[in-house]
Amino acid sequence: MTSDVIIVGGGIIGCSTGLRLAQAGLKVTIIERGRVGGEATHAAAGMLTPQTGADRPDPFFDLCLRSRAMYPAFVDEMRELSAIDPQYRGEGSIFLSLDDRDEALIDGWATWQSEAGLSLERLTAERIKGLEPSVTDSVRGGVLVPGDHQVDNRLLINAVRTSALRAGVEIVEGKQADALLIAQDRVSGVACREEIYTAGCVVVAAGCWSSALLETAGLSIPVTPARGQMVAVKGDVVPIRFLVHSTKCYLVPRLDGRILIGATVEYAGFRKAVTTEGIRSLLDAGVEIVPELDRFEIVETWSGLRPDTPDHLPVIGPAGPDGLILATGHFRNGILLAPITAQLISDTIIKGQLPDEFRPFGADRFKDKKPEARIKK
C-alpha cells in the first residue's frame, strides 16, 4: 500500500489537497477515520465571509481574501469535473446593528476596511428594510459586504470527493490512523492498526483529531475541538435573500428553502451533542432578526467539532520529521480556506519550498507555549 503522498483526513481540506496533488501526477491516498466530509465539513454553514467582523488586517485576513477570490473558478472546476453543482451564491452579507454594542462593533471593523479600500456599504435602517423586508423593525442600521458569499458545503464536498476519485485519488474510509511511521528522521507512512500505508510524504489534515496523531511523531500541536451547534428551519417562503448576521447568530438562506441558523462555539471536549440550551439560544437569536421564523418548522439540528488552536489560526506547513506536512486547525474557516490551502500545500510538496503565505502559520509558534485555557460550556 504505497503512495507518493498520504493525506490523513477526508474533510474539505484533505480532499481538495488530494485532488490538486493527483492533478500534478502524484499517487495519493486519503485515509479517513469515518466517512469523507462527515465531520466539520458536513456541519459547516458554507459561508465565505472573511470581511464580516474581521477586526484587523493581518496575514490571516489576506489569506482568507485570496481564497475567497479563488472560489468562483474553484466551484466552476468542481462542477465541470464532478457534474455536481455546489450552489455557489454571490448575494453578499448584511451585518445588522440592533443595539449600542452592535454599533460599536461595526464601527470597529467597518471603518478600517473602508479606509483600506475594501468593498462595503453602510446601511440605514430604511435601506436594510428595503433590501430585506422581513428583518425586524428594531434594526438600527448595518453594513452590506457584497464580496461575502456562500456555497452549499455538503454539495461541495461531494463534488470535490467525486473529482478526486476521478483524478485517481484512492480514498480509504473507516480507517483510524493510529501512528505516524518515522525512519531516520523522515516520515515513511501511517499505521492503521494491523495495516501499514507507506509514502514519502504525509499530510495531516485530521481536524481536531490531529494532535493525538502528531504526538506519535513527538510533536505537541494544540488542536482543540470546538463544538458548533446549528439548526435549520423552513417555511412556505424564504424570507431573506442575503446572508444576515447579528452579534448573536447568522442566517444562511439555501436554495432548497431552508434557513440555517448558527452557530454556537463550545469547548466541551469531543462530545458532539445537540443540546436544548444551544438550539434554544440559536432559535431565539434567529427570531430576533427575522420574527416570522417563529412560525417555521424545524427540519434539522446538528453539531460538529471544529479544529481550533490557542490563537484561532490554522497550522499549515512542514513540521517535525522530513516529509511531514500539517494542514489543520482551520477552526471556522475550513470551507473558505480550502482552495488556497490545497493549492499551496500542493506547491509545497511538488516544489519542496514553503510558500511565503504559509510562514505565519507554522507549528513552531507553539514551542514553549502553554495551551490557552478553555472554558467548558
Side-chain angles (χ1 to χ4, degrees), residues 204-242:
V204 175
C208 55
W209 288 270
S210 298
S211 291
L213 180 61
L214 293 171
E215 285 175 0
T216 67
L219 295 174
S220 180
I221 310 296
V223 184
T224 305
R227 184 172 70 195
Q229 299 185 54
M230 293 188 66
V231 56
V233 299
K234 190 172 184 179
D236 294 332
V237 297
V238 180
I240 57 173
R241 183 166 62 95
F242 294 83

PDB file of all heavy atoms in Angstrom, residues 204-242:
ATOM      1  N   VAL A 204      -1.088  15.763   7.363  1.00  0.00           N
ATOM      2  CA  VAL A 204      -2.052  15.570   8.438  1.00  0.00           C
ATOM      3  C   VAL A 204      -3.099  16.680   8.343  1.00  0.00           C
ATOM      4  O   VAL A 204      -2.812  17.852   8.612  1.00  0.00           O
ATOM      5  CB  VAL A 204      -1.384  15.567   9.824  1.00  0.00           C
ATOM      6  CG1 VAL A 204      -2.440  15.480  10.932  1.00  0.00           C
ATOM      7  CG2 VAL A 204      -0.418  14.393   9.927  1.00  0.00           C
ATOM      8  N   ALA A 205      -4.295  16.294   7.947  1.00  0.00           N
ATOM      9  CA  ALA A 205      -5.427  17.212   7.807  1.00  0.00           C
ATOM     10  C   ALA A 205      -6.618  16.612   8.543  1.00  0.00           C
ATOM     11  O   ALA A 205      -7.734  16.580   8.040  1.00  0.00           O
ATOM     12  CB  ALA A 205      -5.752  17.428   6.331  1.00  0.00           C
ATOM     13  N   ALA A 206      -6.335  16.147   9.758  1.00  0.00           N
ATOM     14  CA  ALA A 206      -7.313  15.366  10.505  1.00  0.00           C
ATOM     15  C   ALA A 206      -8.128  16.193  11.483  1.00  0.00           C
ATOM     16  O   ALA A 206      -8.697  15.653  12.430  1.00  0.00           O
ATOM     17  CB  ALA A 206      -6.595  14.242  11.253  1.00  0.00           C
ATOM     18  N   GLY A 207      -8.197  17.500  11.273  1.00  0.00           N
ATOM     19  CA  GLY A 207      -9.025  18.346  12.121  1.00  0.00           C
ATOM     20  C   GLY A 207      -8.636  18.238  13.576  1.00  0.00           C
ATOM     21  O   GLY A 207      -7.452  18.199  13.924  1.00  0.00           O
ATOM     22  N   CYS A 208      -9.638  18.181  14.457  1.00  0.00           N
ATOM     23  CA  CYS A 208      -9.348  18.177  15.886  1.00  0.00           C
ATOM     24  C   CYS A 208      -8.814  16.835  16.378  1.00  0.00           C
ATOM     25  O   CYS A 208      -8.488  16.695  17.560  1.00  0.00           O
ATOM     26  CB  CYS A 208     -10.566  18.610  16.685  1.00  0.00           C
ATOM     27  SG  CYS A 208     -12.051  17.656  16.368  1.00  0.00           S
ATOM     28  N   TRP A 209      -8.664  15.850  15.488  1.00  0.00           N
ATOM     29  CA  TRP A 209      -8.011  14.585  15.835  1.00  0.00           C
ATOM     30  C   TRP A 209      -6.529  14.619  15.458  1.00  0.00           C
ATOM     31  O   TRP A 209      -5.826  13.618  15.600  1.00  0.00           O
ATOM     32  CB  TRP A 209      -8.705  13.428  15.132  1.00  0.00           C
ATOM     33  CG  TRP A 209     -10.056  13.136  15.705  1.00  0.00           C
ATOM     34  CD1 TRP A 209     -10.363  12.278  16.739  1.00  0.00           C
ATOM     35  CD2 TRP A 209     -11.304  13.718  15.308  1.00  0.00           C
ATOM     36  NE1 TRP A 209     -11.704  12.294  17.004  1.00  0.00           N
ATOM     37  CE2 TRP A 209     -12.318  13.176  16.141  1.00  0.00           C
ATOM     38  CE3 TRP A 209     -11.680  14.654  14.341  1.00  0.00           C
ATOM     39  CZ2 TRP A 209     -13.661  13.527  16.030  1.00  0.00           C
ATOM     40  CZ3 TRP A 209     -13.013  15.016  14.232  1.00  0.00           C
ATOM     41  CH2 TRP A 209     -13.985  14.453  15.068  1.00  0.00           C
ATOM     42  N   SER A 210      -6.040  15.754  14.994  1.00  0.00           N
ATOM     43  CA  SER A 210      -4.654  15.846  14.537  1.00  0.00           C
ATOM     44  C   SER A 210      -3.652  15.720  15.680  1.00  0.00           C
ATOM     45  O   SER A 210      -2.597  15.089  15.534  1.00  0.00           O
ATOM     46  CB  SER A 210      -4.428  17.175  13.805  1.00  0.00           C
ATOM     47  OG  SER A 210      -5.232  17.280  12.653  1.00  0.00           O
ATOM     48  N   SER A 211      -3.956  16.323  16.837  1.00  0.00           N
ATOM     49  CA  SER A 211      -2.978  16.367  17.924  1.00  0.00           C
ATOM     50  C   SER A 211      -2.537  14.983  18.371  1.00  0.00           C
ATOM     51  O   SER A 211      -1.344  14.719  18.567  1.00  0.00           O
ATOM     52  CB  SER A 211      -3.546  17.149  19.113  1.00  0.00           C
ATOM     53  OG  SER A 211      -3.676  18.512  18.804  1.00  0.00           O
ATOM     54  N   ALA A 212      -3.492  14.075  18.564  1.00  0.00           N
ATOM     55  CA  ALA A 212      -3.161  12.736  19.034  1.00  0.00           C
ATOM     56  C   ALA A 212      -2.262  12.008  18.045  1.00  0.00           C
ATOM     57  O   ALA A 212      -1.318  11.306  18.438  1.00  0.00           O
ATOM     58  CB  ALA A 212      -4.439  11.938  19.278  1.00  0.00           C
ATOM     59  N   LEU A 213      -2.529  12.163  16.766  1.00  0.00           N
ATOM     60  CA  LEU A 213      -1.700  11.515  15.756  1.00  0.00           C
ATOM     61  C   LEU A 213      -0.293  12.117  15.740  1.00  0.00           C
ATOM     62  O   LEU A 213       0.707  11.395  15.646  1.00  0.00           O
ATOM     63  CB  LEU A 213      -2.350  11.641  14.381  1.00  0.00           C
ATOM     64  CG  LEU A 213      -1.600  11.007  13.209  1.00  0.00           C
ATOM     65  CD1 LEU A 213      -1.452   9.495  13.423  1.00  0.00           C
ATOM     66  CD2 LEU A 213      -2.314  11.299  11.895  1.00  0.00           C
ATOM     67  N   LEU A 214      -0.198  13.437  15.849  1.00  0.00           N
ATOM     68  CA  LEU A 214       1.099  14.095  15.800  1.00  0.00           C
ATOM     69  C   LEU A 214       1.960  13.768  17.011  1.00  0.00           C
ATOM     70  O   LEU A 214       3.195  13.799  16.930  1.00  0.00           O
ATOM     71  CB  LEU A 214       0.899  15.611  15.669  1.00  0.00           C
ATOM     72  CG  LEU A 214       0.288  16.061  14.343  1.00  0.00           C
ATOM     73  CD1 LEU A 214      -0.076  17.542  14.392  1.00  0.00           C
ATOM     74  CD2 LEU A 214       1.239  15.793  13.187  1.00  0.00           C
ATOM     75  N   GLU A 215       1.326  13.447  18.120  1.00  0.00           N
ATOM     76  CA  GLU A 215       2.096  13.045  19.308  1.00  0.00           C
ATOM     77  C   GLU A 215       2.921  11.791  19.042  1.00  0.00           C
ATOM     78  O   GLU A 215       3.981  11.593  19.651  1.00  0.00           O
ATOM     79  CB  GLU A 215       1.152  12.812  20.480  1.00  0.00           C
ATOM     80  CG  GLU A 215       0.603  14.097  21.097  1.00  0.00           C
ATOM     81  CD  GLU A 215      -0.415  13.821  22.185  1.00  0.00           C
ATOM     82  OE1 GLU A 215      -0.682  12.620  22.460  1.00  0.00           O
ATOM     83  OE2 GLU A 215      -0.941  14.799  22.757  1.00  0.00           O
ATOM     84  N   THR A 216       2.480  10.936  18.131  1.00  0.00           N
ATOM     85  CA  THR A 216       3.238   9.721  17.819  1.00  0.00           C
ATOM     86  C   THR A 216       4.524  10.041  17.070  1.00  0.00           C
ATOM     87  O   THR A 216       5.384   9.165  16.927  1.00  0.00           O
ATOM     88  CB  THR A 216       2.384   8.738  16.983  1.00  0.00           C
ATOM     89  OG1 THR A 216       2.119   9.296  15.684  1.00  0.00           O
ATOM     90  CG2 THR A 216       1.065   8.438  17.690  1.00  0.00           C
ATOM     91  N   ALA A 217       4.645  11.281  16.582  1.00  0.00           N
ATOM     92  CA  ALA A 217       5.891  11.733  15.947  1.00  0.00           C
ATOM     93  C   ALA A 217       6.660  12.685  16.865  1.00  0.00           C
ATOM     94  O   ALA A 217       7.590  13.362  16.419  1.00  0.00           O
ATOM     95  CB  ALA A 217       5.588  12.424  14.617  1.00  0.00           C
ATOM     96  N   GLY A 218       6.231  12.749  18.131  1.00  0.00           N
ATOM     97  CA  GLY A 218       6.914  13.599  19.094  1.00  0.00           C
ATOM     98  C   GLY A 218       6.563  15.069  19.003  1.00  0.00           C
ATOM     99  O   GLY A 218       7.286  15.911  19.539  1.00  0.00           O
ATOM    100  N   LEU A 219       5.450  15.388  18.354  1.00  0.00           N
ATOM    101  CA  LEU A 219       5.044  16.776  18.189  1.00  0.00           C
ATOM    102  C   LEU A 219       3.882  17.110  19.119  1.00  0.00           C
ATOM    103  O   LEU A 219       2.933  16.333  19.245  1.00  0.00           O
ATOM    104  CB  LEU A 219       4.613  17.044  16.744  1.00  0.00           C
ATOM    105  CG  LEU A 219       5.704  16.921  15.677  1.00  0.00           C
ATOM    106  CD1 LEU A 219       5.106  17.061  14.294  1.00  0.00           C
ATOM    107  CD2 LEU A 219       6.798  17.958  15.884  1.00  0.00           C
ATOM    108  N   SER A 220       3.959  18.264  19.760  1.00  0.00           N
ATOM    109  CA  SER A 220       2.874  18.738  20.616  1.00  0.00           C
ATOM    110  C   SER A 220       2.229  19.947  19.964  1.00  0.00           C
ATOM    111  O   SER A 220       2.702  21.084  20.099  1.00  0.00           O
ATOM    112  CB  SER A 220       3.419  19.108  22.012  1.00  0.00           C
ATOM    113  OG  SER A 220       2.378  19.575  22.837  1.00  0.00           O
ATOM    114  N   ILE A 221       1.165  19.701  19.213  1.00  0.00           N
ATOM    115  CA  ILE A 221       0.460  20.748  18.477  1.00  0.00           C
ATOM    116  C   ILE A 221      -0.945  20.848  19.061  1.00  0.00           C
ATOM    117  O   ILE A 221      -1.749  19.922  18.899  1.00  0.00           O
ATOM    118  CB  ILE A 221       0.382  20.448  16.967  1.00  0.00           C
ATOM    119  CG1 ILE A 221       1.757  20.098  16.413  1.00  0.00           C
ATOM    120  CG2 ILE A 221      -0.230  21.629  16.230  1.00  0.00           C
ATOM    121  CD1 ILE A 221       2.772  21.213  16.491  1.00  0.00           C
ATOM    122  N   PRO A 222      -1.282  21.955  19.730  1.00  0.00           N
ATOM    123  CA  PRO A 222      -2.588  22.053  20.404  1.00  0.00           C
ATOM    124  C   PRO A 222      -3.736  22.360  19.449  1.00  0.00           C
ATOM    125  O   PRO A 222      -3.996  23.508  19.111  1.00  0.00           O
ATOM    126  CB  PRO A 222      -2.373  23.194  21.400  1.00  0.00           C
ATOM    127  CG  PRO A 222      -1.339  24.068  20.749  1.00  0.00           C
ATOM    128  CD  PRO A 222      -0.443  23.142  19.967  1.00  0.00           C
ATOM    129  N   VAL A 223      -4.424  21.316  19.006  1.00  0.00           N
ATOM    130  CA  VAL A 223      -5.630  21.473  18.194  1.00  0.00           C
ATOM    131  C   VAL A 223      -6.801  20.962  19.030  1.00  0.00           C
ATOM    132  O   VAL A 223      -6.841  19.793  19.404  1.00  0.00           O
ATOM    133  CB  VAL A 223      -5.540  20.714  16.861  1.00  0.00           C
ATOM    134  CG1 VAL A 223      -6.787  20.986  16.019  1.00  0.00           C
ATOM    135  CG2 VAL A 223      -4.287  21.118  16.095  1.00  0.00           C
ATOM    136  N   THR A 224      -7.742  21.852  19.321  1.00  0.00           N
ATOM    137  CA  THR A 224      -8.814  21.584  20.276  1.00  0.00           C
ATOM    138  C   THR A 224     -10.167  21.526  19.577  1.00  0.00           C
ATOM    139  O   THR A 224     -10.458  22.374  18.732  1.00  0.00           O
ATOM    140  CB  THR A 224      -8.854  22.703  21.340  1.00  0.00           C
ATOM    141  OG1 THR A 224      -7.577  22.813  21.947  1.00  0.00           O
ATOM    142  CG2 THR A 224      -9.899  22.423  22.400  1.00  0.00           C
ATOM    143  N   PRO A 225     -11.020  20.559  19.931  1.00  0.00           N
ATOM    144  CA  PRO A 225     -12.366  20.548  19.348  1.00  0.00           C
ATOM    145  C   PRO A 225     -13.231  21.677  19.889  1.00  0.00           C
ATOM    146  O   PRO A 225     -13.317  21.890  21.096  1.00  0.00           O
ATOM    147  CB  PRO A 225     -12.926  19.182  19.769  1.00  0.00           C
ATOM    148  CG  PRO A 225     -12.155  18.801  20.981  1.00  0.00           C
ATOM    149  CD  PRO A 225     -10.786  19.396  20.818  1.00  0.00           C
ATOM    150  N   ALA A 226     -13.838  22.420  18.997  1.00  0.00           N
ATOM    151  CA  ALA A 226     -14.783  23.490  19.358  1.00  0.00           C
ATOM    152  C   ALA A 226     -16.137  23.124  18.768  1.00  0.00           C
ATOM    153  O   ALA A 226     -16.331  23.185  17.552  1.00  0.00           O
ATOM    154  CB  ALA A 226     -14.318  24.845  18.830  1.00  0.00           C
ATOM    155  N   ARG A 227     -17.041  22.730  19.636  1.00  0.00           N
ATOM    156  CA  ARG A 227     -18.350  22.267  19.166  1.00  0.00           C
ATOM    157  C   ARG A 227     -19.178  23.431  18.634  1.00  0.00           C
ATOM    158  O   ARG A 227     -19.266  24.496  19.250  1.00  0.00           O
ATOM    159  CB  ARG A 227     -19.112  21.585  20.308  1.00  0.00           C
ATOM    160  CG  ARG A 227     -20.448  20.995  19.871  1.00  0.00           C
ATOM    161  CD  ARG A 227     -21.059  20.163  20.978  1.00  0.00           C
ATOM    162  NE  ARG A 227     -21.519  20.982  22.107  1.00  0.00           N
ATOM    163  CZ  ARG A 227     -21.826  20.483  23.297  1.00  0.00           C
ATOM    164  NH1 ARG A 227     -21.681  19.185  23.532  1.00  0.00           N
ATOM    165  NH2 ARG A 227     -22.242  21.276  24.256  1.00  0.00           N
ATOM    166  N   GLY A 228     -19.793  23.198  17.498  1.00  0.00           N
ATOM    167  CA  GLY A 228     -20.714  24.177  16.931  1.00  0.00           C
ATOM    168  C   GLY A 228     -22.050  23.541  16.642  1.00  0.00           C
ATOM    169  O   GLY A 228     -22.126  22.579  15.871  1.00  0.00           O
ATOM    170  N   GLN A 229     -23.099  24.038  17.278  1.00  0.00           N
ATOM    171  CA  GLN A 229     -24.447  23.534  17.026  1.00  0.00           C
ATOM    172  C   GLN A 229     -25.155  24.430  16.021  1.00  0.00           C
ATOM    173  O   GLN A 229     -24.926  25.641  15.983  1.00  0.00           O
ATOM    174  CB  GLN A 229     -25.255  23.494  18.321  1.00  0.00           C
ATOM    175  CG  GLN A 229     -24.679  22.595  19.394  1.00  0.00           C
ATOM    176  CD  GLN A 229     -25.585  22.492  20.602  1.00  0.00           C
ATOM    177  OE1 GLN A 229     -26.763  22.155  20.488  1.00  0.00           O
ATOM    178  NE2 GLN A 229     -25.035  22.792  21.781  1.00  0.00           N
ATOM    179  N   MET A 230     -26.032  23.821  15.227  1.00  0.00           N
ATOM    180  CA  MET A 230     -26.797  24.563  14.241  1.00  0.00           C
ATOM    181  C   MET A 230     -28.193  23.988  14.140  1.00  0.00           C
ATOM    182  O   MET A 230     -28.452  22.853  14.543  1.00  0.00           O
ATOM    183  CB  MET A 230     -26.113  24.537  12.870  1.00  0.00           C
ATOM    184  CG  MET A 230     -24.798  25.292  12.818  1.00  0.00           C
ATOM    185  SD  MET A 230     -24.156  25.435  11.130  1.00  0.00           S
ATOM    186  CE  MET A 230     -25.403  26.489  10.400  1.00  0.00           C
ATOM    187  N   VAL A 231     -29.090  24.793  13.563  1.00  0.00           N
ATOM    188  CA  VAL A 231     -30.464  24.355  13.355  1.00  0.00           C
ATOM    189  C   VAL A 231     -30.928  24.900  12.001  1.00  0.00           C
ATOM    190  O   VAL A 231     -30.541  26.003  11.599  1.00  0.00           O
ATOM    191  CB  VAL A 231     -31.391  24.835  14.497  1.00  0.00           C
ATOM    192  CG1 VAL A 231     -31.333  26.345  14.659  1.00  0.00           C
ATOM    193  CG2 VAL A 231     -32.827  24.369  14.280  1.00  0.00           C
ATOM    194  N   ALA A 232     -31.707  24.107  11.292  1.00  0.00           N
ATOM    195  CA  ALA A 232     -32.293  24.537  10.019  1.00  0.00           C
ATOM    196  C   ALA A 232     -33.806  24.587  10.164  1.00  0.00           C
ATOM    197  O   ALA A 232     -34.416  23.675  10.726  1.00  0.00           O
ATOM    198  CB  ALA A 232     -31.904  23.584   8.892  1.00  0.00           C
ATOM    199  N   VAL A 233     -34.402  25.677   9.664  1.00  0.00           N
ATOM    200  CA  VAL A 233     -35.848  25.833   9.696  1.00  0.00           C
ATOM    201  C   VAL A 233     -36.347  26.069   8.277  1.00  0.00           C
ATOM    202  O   VAL A 233     -35.589  26.454   7.382  1.00  0.00           O
ATOM    203  CB  VAL A 233     -36.270  27.006  10.615  1.00  0.00           C
ATOM    204  CG1 VAL A 233     -35.815  26.758  12.045  1.00  0.00           C
ATOM    205  CG2 VAL A 233     -35.711  28.340  10.108  1.00  0.00           C
ATOM    206  N   LYS A 234     -37.653  25.848   8.079  1.00  0.00           N
ATOM    207  CA  LYS A 234     -38.219  26.009   6.739  1.00  0.00           C
ATOM    208  C   LYS A 234     -39.668  26.425   6.852  1.00  0.00           C
ATOM    209  O   LYS A 234     -40.417  25.917   7.688  1.00  0.00           O
ATOM    210  CB  LYS A 234     -38.100  24.696   5.963  1.00  0.00           C
ATOM    211  CG  LYS A 234     -38.433  24.810   4.481  1.00  0.00           C
ATOM    212  CD  LYS A 234     -38.098  23.512   3.757  1.00  0.00           C
ATOM    213  CE  LYS A 234     -38.327  23.639   2.252  1.00  0.00           C
ATOM    214  NZ  LYS A 234     -37.987  22.397   1.531  1.00  0.00           N
ATOM    215  N   GLY A 235     -40.057  27.378   6.008  1.00  0.00           N
ATOM    216  CA  GLY A 235     -41.429  27.842   5.941  1.00  0.00           C
ATOM    217  C   GLY A 235     -41.948  27.765   4.522  1.00  0.00           C
ATOM    218  O   GLY A 235     -41.344  27.133   3.642  1.00  0.00           O
ATOM    219  N   ASP A 236     -43.067  28.423   4.272  1.00  0.00           N
ATOM    220  CA  ASP A 236     -43.661  28.409   2.932  1.00  0.00           C
ATOM    221  C   ASP A 236     -42.830  29.212   1.938  1.00  0.00           C
ATOM    222  O   ASP A 236     -42.851  28.932   0.737  1.00  0.00           O
ATOM    223  CB  ASP A 236     -45.087  28.969   2.993  1.00  0.00           C
ATOM    224  CG  ASP A 236     -46.029  28.084   3.799  1.00  0.00           C
ATOM    225  OD1 ASP A 236     -45.779  26.867   3.856  1.00  0.00           O
ATOM    226  OD2 ASP A 236     -46.997  28.621   4.369  1.00  0.00           O
ATOM    227  N   VAL A 237     -42.114  30.223   2.428  1.00  0.00           N
ATOM    228  CA  VAL A 237     -41.261  31.049   1.577  1.00  0.00           C
ATOM    229  C   VAL A 237     -39.926  31.238   2.290  1.00  0.00           C
ATOM    230  O   VAL A 237     -39.809  31.026   3.500  1.00  0.00           O
ATOM    231  CB  VAL A 237     -41.896  32.424   1.279  1.00  0.00           C
ATOM    232  CG1 VAL A 237     -43.194  32.260   0.511  1.00  0.00           C
ATOM    233  CG2 VAL A 237     -42.120  33.204   2.571  1.00  0.00           C
ATOM    234  N   VAL A 238     -38.909  31.640   1.526  1.00  0.00           N
ATOM    235  CA  VAL A 238     -37.618  32.003   2.111  1.00  0.00           C
ATOM    236  C   VAL A 238     -37.636  33.512   2.338  1.00  0.00           C
ATOM    237  O   VAL A 238     -37.665  34.281   1.368  1.00  0.00           O
ATOM    238  CB  VAL A 238     -36.449  31.618   1.195  1.00  0.00           C
ATOM    239  CG1 VAL A 238     -35.117  31.998   1.837  1.00  0.00           C
ATOM    240  CG2 VAL A 238     -36.481  30.130   0.893  1.00  0.00           C
ATOM    241  N   PRO A 239     -37.636  33.965   3.593  1.00  0.00           N
ATOM    242  CA  PRO A 239     -37.887  35.381   3.865  1.00  0.00           C
ATOM    243  C   PRO A 239     -36.689  36.294   3.652  1.00  0.00           C
ATOM    244  O   PRO A 239     -36.840  37.512   3.680  1.00  0.00           O
ATOM    245  CB  PRO A 239     -38.300  35.375   5.335  1.00  0.00           C
ATOM    246  CG  PRO A 239     -37.600  34.203   5.916  1.00  0.00           C
ATOM    247  CD  PRO A 239     -37.564  33.169   4.829  1.00  0.00           C
ATOM    248  N   ILE A 240     -35.496  35.751   3.445  1.00  0.00           N
ATOM    249  CA  ILE A 240     -34.314  36.587   3.245  1.00  0.00           C
ATOM    250  C   ILE A 240     -33.556  36.116   2.008  1.00  0.00           C
ATOM    251  O   ILE A 240     -33.651  34.948   1.605  1.00  0.00           O
ATOM    252  CB  ILE A 240     -33.379  36.576   4.468  1.00  0.00           C
ATOM    253  CG1 ILE A 240     -32.953  35.137   4.816  1.00  0.00           C
ATOM    254  CG2 ILE A 240     -34.022  37.253   5.668  1.00  0.00           C
ATOM    255  CD1 ILE A 240     -31.893  35.047   5.899  1.00  0.00           C
ATOM    256  N   ARG A 241     -32.797  37.042   1.439  1.00  0.00           N
ATOM    257  CA  ARG A 241     -32.001  36.736   0.243  1.00  0.00           C
ATOM    258  C   ARG A 241     -30.512  36.752   0.539  1.00  0.00           C
ATOM    259  O   ARG A 241     -29.746  35.976  -0.003  1.00  0.00           O
ATOM    260  CB  ARG A 241     -32.328  37.764  -0.844  1.00  0.00           C
ATOM    261  CG  ARG A 241     -31.629  37.549  -2.169  1.00  0.00           C
ATOM    262  CD  ARG A 241     -32.271  38.396  -3.255  1.00  0.00           C
ATOM    263  NE  ARG A 241     -32.177  39.818  -2.973  1.00  0.00           N
ATOM    264  CZ  ARG A 241     -31.218  40.614  -3.439  1.00  0.00           C
ATOM    265  NH1 ARG A 241     -30.247  40.105  -4.193  1.00  0.00           N
ATOM    266  NH2 ARG A 241     -31.211  41.901  -3.167  1.00  0.00           N
ATOM    267  N   PHE A 242     -30.093  37.658   1.429  1.00  0.00           N
ATOM    268  CA  PHE A 242     -28.693  37.796   1.786  1.00  0.00           C
ATOM    269  C   PHE A 242     -28.347  36.885   2.967  1.00  0.00           C
ATOM    270  O   PHE A 242     -29.228  36.443   3.706  1.00  0.00           O
ATOM    271  CB  PHE A 242     -28.378  39.240   2.194  1.00  0.00           C
ATOM    272  CG  PHE A 242     -28.499  40.239   1.091  1.00  0.00           C
ATOM    273  CD1 PHE A 242     -29.737  40.779   0.746  1.00  0.00           C
ATOM    274  CD2 PHE A 242     -27.383  40.670   0.390  1.00  0.00           C
ATOM    275  CE1 PHE A 242     -29.859  41.717  -0.273  1.00  0.00           C
ATOM    276  CE2 PHE A 242     -27.496  41.605  -0.628  1.00  0.00           C
ATOM    277  CZ  PHE A 242     -28.734  42.130  -0.954  1.00  0.00           C
TER     278      PHE A 242
END
